[in-house]
Each structure stands twice: as C-alpha cells, then as structure tokens.
Amino acid sequence: MKATTHSLRCTGCGQRISGRETASNFRCRACGELFEVEYAWSETAAGDASTKKPNPGALKYLWAERRTSTLAEDQSGVWRFRDLLPIVSDDQIVTLREGNTPLYEMPRSAAALGMNWLLAKHQGMNPTGSFKDAGMTAALSVAVANGYRWVACASTGNTSAAMAAYAARAGLKSLVLIPEGKIAWGKLSQAMDYGSTTVQLKTDFDGCVKVLAEIVERAPIYLLNSVNPYRLEGQKTPAFEILEQMDWRVPDHLIVPGGNLANCSALGKGFLEMKHLGFIPRVPKISVIQAEGANPLYRWMQQGAHGTFEPVTAETRATAIRIGNPASWKKAVRILAATGGWVEQVTEREIALAKAEIGAEGIGCEPASAVTLAGLKKLVTDGRVGHEETAVLLLTGHTLKDSDYTIQYHKGELLRPDEMAGASAAELAEHAALRREPVVMEANADAILRVLDAVPQPA
Ligand code: F0G
C-alpha cells in the first residue's frame, strides 16, 4: 500500500492535488473550499474508473477474515477496511484498535415510536469514548507519514481527547484549544491524562478555530480538525460496519448529530462508495439533527437552502455540538441531497428526554448523541420516517463523557422552569418515569425496601 494511491479533490472547483501539497488549513488555494480523498476507483475519478474497481465479494471475505487475525491493523475496525482507504503504508498506522463498535437494538424506543426496528450504532464504545477515534487513527497516521512532530486541534472536547491519545501513542506532541468552561469535564481530563498541552481560551469553539488557523500557518503543526480530509476517511468506516452488521441489508435511515457537519458527510461518503462499488443497491437517507441553539444548517434549509449561510452564536447544553459556524456545511448539504435526508432541530428538553430514554435502554450516550432519537421522533411524527422502515441512530459519544449533565437531569436540576413550562402532561409523565434521583437515607433495610415499592414499573 502506498501513499501515492490517492489524491485530494477540491469539493468546490474540482482541482486535484497530492496529499503533500495541502495548505496548512486544508482549504483549496484556488477557491477556499475543502478537499476530499479520491482513489482511482472513486466515482469522481478522471478516466475509466470501472476497470480499477475492487471486487466486493473478495473484500467482504477478506474483511471478515481479518477479524480473526492478531495483527493490530487487522484488529482495528478502521484499518480492517484499509483496502478502501489506502492513505498510508501499513507500518505507518497508529491504532488503538478503534472501531468494531456494537450495533444495538433499541426495543423500548422502537415500541414508543411504533417502529418495527430501531438500531443504534454506538461509536461511544471506541477507545477514547467517541466516534472521533475512527477519524483520528487515519489522520494521525498521515501526520506520522508526513513527518510532523506536532499536531493540534480546536475542539468541543471529543476531538481533543482522541487526538491527545493517538498523538501519545505515536510519540508526537499535541496542542489542544478548547473554549473555557464549555466542555464536559470527562473530555478535558482525557486531554490532560494523555499528555496534551491543553489551552482553554476565553472564546467559543468557533473562536478557537480562528486562532488555530493562524497558529498552523505560522508553525509546522499538523491540523487535525475535521477540515482534514483524512479524518473523514476513518469516519466513513462505520458505514461499512453497519452494513456488515446488518448482513449487507441497507437501513432506510441513518440519523446523525450535526455540529461542525463533517461526520454526516463522512458516513455519506462511506455509503456512497459502497453503492458505487456494487456492495449495496441503494444508500440510506442520512438526516442531520442539530440542537435548536446551534442550528445554522437547519435555519439555512428553512430559508429555502439558498442565499448566505449565516453563522449563529451557539448555545446548548449538548456542548459537543455547540458550534455556530460549521466548517463542513457544504459537504453536509451535498450528502443530504445525494441521500434524500433532512435536517431537524431539537430543544434542550427534547434532548434531555431522549438521552434518558437511551440510558434506560441500558446503552446511554452523551447529550449530543441523544439529538438523534429526539430528531427521529419528529421525523416519525410527520411521516418522513415510516413505521415499517429501519432506522439507525449514530450515537457519537459515551455516557461517561458528561456525567454532570446526567446527574443534573436526574436530580431535576438541568432544565430551567421556563424550559419545562411548555411540556405537555404526557411529556412530564415521561420525564417522571425516567428520572432516578439518588436517595439519601439511613442504613436501614426496611426503609430501602419501601423505596423499591415506589419505583415505577417499566411499561
Ligand atoms: N457528537 C459528538 C459527541 C461530538 O463530539 C461532535 C463533534 C458531534 C456529534 C458532531 O460531529 O462536528 O462532525 O458534525 N465534536 C467536535 C469536537 C466538534 O471538537 O469534539 P460533527
């Protein structure tokens, strides 16, 4: 496998460059847009790509076979698919055995929605607890291949945790810029634990991105934000896993949280490649869910998907997606159009309820991931997702990432009275049935048994 087996194609003007010709901010020097990785067999490739297409039957066999191997690059759920992401040679791979995450059934949520089959692909079950690991193993390996000593990212927390871990594995130094006071403690602690230089800036995520752009221009530091197209090569592989785990049946819908809007496009790229190569006959509709307080794409769609894309000042307790000026919004729009999905927004109250429901399935996730279930409810209610259809929720982060949120919710301290004011009686009953406030009492068996009697029975 050689680094020369791919090129980078500008998603704006179509210009192609080699991987070593990128600007420090990964934007096209001609038109300012972002790149995507292209292979000889890609749909966009120049010339007759059909002759170079890999064989789906042979690859399916090989990928399954690698699961029994003891080689690190075979045990990784990203590099197991390296035939479709030949961006580095095998000896340059930096892996923590990411990927191979579970696809869970969600029977209670499905029943509540009147759906036959609802699944959750839990990317929070990755080594650092989020979907970022799949992308970080890919881009960090490229950083090593290109000889960088320093890597950096601006982050709402998960990217920094993943980058810090992979940089440590590779022996590289890493710089993290995060908005002060606006990331969950679990994530901050990870960056420190893995030895990153962690800088909290008195600005928001969008402000951190701006400062970092200047830093990587002035110093030889490799940028690992999701504008880096190699991140998306890793993040496309959960699409392959979902198909494998469903025995190559295609779900009707994939529901993804939207922040900087790169992950939805990465997964879209994965599914579209599967279709192009003949693994599957169609792709799922990919829908993106934003928090109401961080909803620039939703707003743009509401205004007819034309005109200026207006950034917003983002505010949501789902801090992972507290992003007002998403870098990859155009890529996301292309994936929505190519797959036929939608953008929805959900309120803080809806996110909190959905998160508690996912917890009650015995799975759990961080707040930003719960927007998927909250958004799916809206898509089912107005018929965009049918009761007979299959949907997969993409859960992006582990519940332990933001345990403060969970504890506040269950103590009834998360949502303000004005936020609860609009809730219907049915919704209040749902919250009441899910909330489990910790009880402080004397060490007395009789008293504890009386508490058990009061616990609501599951439906
Ligand atoms: N869910 C979680 C848990 C995230 O951490 C993020 C993004 C998203 C969803 C949104 O994905 O940006 O590709 O649309 N977190 C980034 C970070 C921005 O810095 O960790 P996206």
Side-chain angles (χ1 to χ4, degrees), residues 392-436:
V392 177
L393 306 178
L394 205 283
L395 301 184
T396 44
H398 197 281
T399 185
L400 289 176
K401 287 278 189 174
D402 194 353
S403 42
D404 279 354
Y405 181 106
T406 312
I407 292 169
Q408 280 177 20
Y409 172 79
H410 286 282
K411 283 184 159 180
E413 293 167 1
L414 184 76
L415 298 160
R416 296 186 311 267
D418 62 295
E419 289 174 299
M420 288 309 289
S424 65
E427 197 186 327
L428 288 175
E430 285 181 85
H431 280 288
L434 289 162
R435 270 188 50 212
R436 293 285 182 273

Side-chain angles (χ1 to χ4, degrees), residues 150-228:
W150 272 91
V151 292
C153 71
S155 179
T156 56
N158 281 325
T159 300
S160 49
M163 182 189 75
Y166 283 85
R169 291 299 293 179
L172 302 192
K173 296 192 172 73
S174 63
L175 167 70
V176 162
L177 300 189
I178 47 173
E180 192 205 4
K182 295 295 180 187
I183 80 166
W185 291 121
K187 304 174 188 181
L188 176 62
S189 70
Q190 284 181 291
M192 293 155 68
D193 199 25
Y194 305 135
S196 235
T197 300
T198 307
V199 184
Q200 306 190 70
L201 298 186
K202 294 181 191 311
T203 178
D204 56 10
F205 170 80
D206 302 295
C208 292
V209 169
K210 270 194 208 134
V211 179
L212 188 58
E214 193 184 325
I215 291 174
V216 294
E217 206 183 315
R218 289 169 52 178
I221 301 179
Y222 194 64
L223 180 66
L224 283 173
N225 273 74
S226 54
V227 290
N228 182 322

Side-chain angles (χ1 to χ4, degrees), residues 130-132 153-160 187 205 225-226 231 235 256-264 320-321 323 366 368-369 396-397:
S130 88
F131 72 103
K132 305 286 183 180
C153 71
S155 179
T156 56
N158 281 325
T159 300
S160 49
K187 304 174 188 181
F205 170 80
N225 273 74
S226 54
R231 283 261 315 269
Q235 285 175 218
V256 188
N260 221 6
L261 296 173
N263 198 36
C264 51
I321 51 173
I323 295 173
E366 67 165 284
S369 311
T396 44

